[in-house]
């Protein structure tokens, strides 16, 4: 049995990436919510691999880092909950968990959106 995905997720600091429906997580071909996220499990490996190929992977990971309460489980941005927890811990140790942390994540998110949008236009 797999864990259920969380309800609709929104945040004012870093918005959830808008899916077009063609992303690996939107097609339903892979399972992105599991009871366990051990990276050696075949289903988790498959989900991480598919997620890495997605053009929204960086934005999804940033969103999940900014919203740990909204994304406590699941594969987001080619990362497991444990990987995101470690990334957050490292960021918070450098920036604190206040406005500087939010500002860095928002800038990274905006930069990824701009880069992807420019790439799509070419």
């Amino acid at each position: 049995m797999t864990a259920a995905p969380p309800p609709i997720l929104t945040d004012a600091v870093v918005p959830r990436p808008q899916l077009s429906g063609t992303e690996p997580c939107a097609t339903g071909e892979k399972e992105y919510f599991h009871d366990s996220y051990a990276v050696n499990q075949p289903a988790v490996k498959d989900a991480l691999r598919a997620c890495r190929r997605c053009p929204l992977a960086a934005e999804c990971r940033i969103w999940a880092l900014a919203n740990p309460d909204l994304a406590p489980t699941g594969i987001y941005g080619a990362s497991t909950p444990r990987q995101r927890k470690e990334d957050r811990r490292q960021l918070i140790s450098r920036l604190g968990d206040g406005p500087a942390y939010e500002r860095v994540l928002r800038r990274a998110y905006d930069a990824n959106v701009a880069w992807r949008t420019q790439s799509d236009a070419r």
Side-chain angles (χ1 to χ4, degrees), residues 24-25 30 32 44-54 57 78:
C25 61
K30 303 281 183 221
Y32 291 85
V44 173
K45 281 183 179 181
D46 287 347
L48 290 169
R49 190 177 308 113
C51 200
R52 276 187 211 102
R53 293 190 303 264
C54 179

Side-chain angles (χ1 to χ4, degrees), residues 13 91-92 95-105:
V13 175
L91 283 168
I92 289 170
L95 303 168
D97 63 355
Y101 177 79
E102 291 178 356
R103 198 169 36 254
V104 165
L105 290 176

Side-chain angles (χ1 to χ4, degrees), residues 33-111:
F33 294 90
H34 303 275
D35 291 328
S36 168
Y37 292 94
V39 294
N40 61 346
Q41 290 181 338
V44 173
K45 281 183 179 181
D46 287 347
L48 290 169
R49 190 177 308 113
C51 200
R52 276 187 211 102
R53 293 190 303 264
C54 179
L56 296 177
E59 293 159 49
C60 285
R61 189 173 189 138
I62 295 165
W63 175 84
L65 287 171
N67 297 286
D69 294 338
L70 298 176
T73 63
I75 304 291
Y76 288 97
S79 66
T80 65
R82 174 181 254 170
Q83 291 166 331
R84 291 191 302 275
K85 184 176 181 180
E86 178 60 21
D87 288 349
R88 269 192 300 279
R89 188 193 64 72
Q90 290 178 11
L91 283 168
I92 289 170
S93 74
R94 289 194 320 242
L95 303 168
D97 63 355
Y101 177 79
E102 291 178 356
R103 198 169 36 254
V104 165
L105 290 176
R106 182 60 197 219
R107 286 181 183 158
Y109 183 88
D110 290 344

